[in-house]
Amino acid sequence: MKKYNKLLLLGDSITYGYGLEGGPESPFHYGVLLGKALGTESIINRAVMEAF
């Protein structure tokens, strides 16, 4: 049984997955790892990669 239906990620380039091979779709992206730990694979990544 899933504990959560969706995971929403907000943040900067680190949250986005900048520097990871495969970017936000990388299996080592912390959003993916967190989603697995929380019991969901539905991840919405709304992080930005631009610096202000």
Side-chain angles (χ1 to χ4, degrees):
M1 174 186 279
K2 289 185 178 183
K3 189 172 182 180
Y4 297 95
N5 291 327
K6 295 180 183 176
L7 175 63
L8 174 63
L9 301 173
L10 303 172
D12 59 8
S13 58
I14 295 171
T15 307
Y16 176 80
Y18 179 76
L20 288 176
E21 187 174 320
E25 304 304 319
S26 169
F28 301 109
H29 184 268
Y30 87 91
V32 173
L33 297 174
L34 182 61
K36 288 181 182 179
L38 293 174
T40 184
E41 292 183 11
S42 179
I43 301 166
I44 303 165
N45 190 344
R46 295 292 185 246
V48 294
M49 209 170 79
E50 298 177 16
F52 293 97

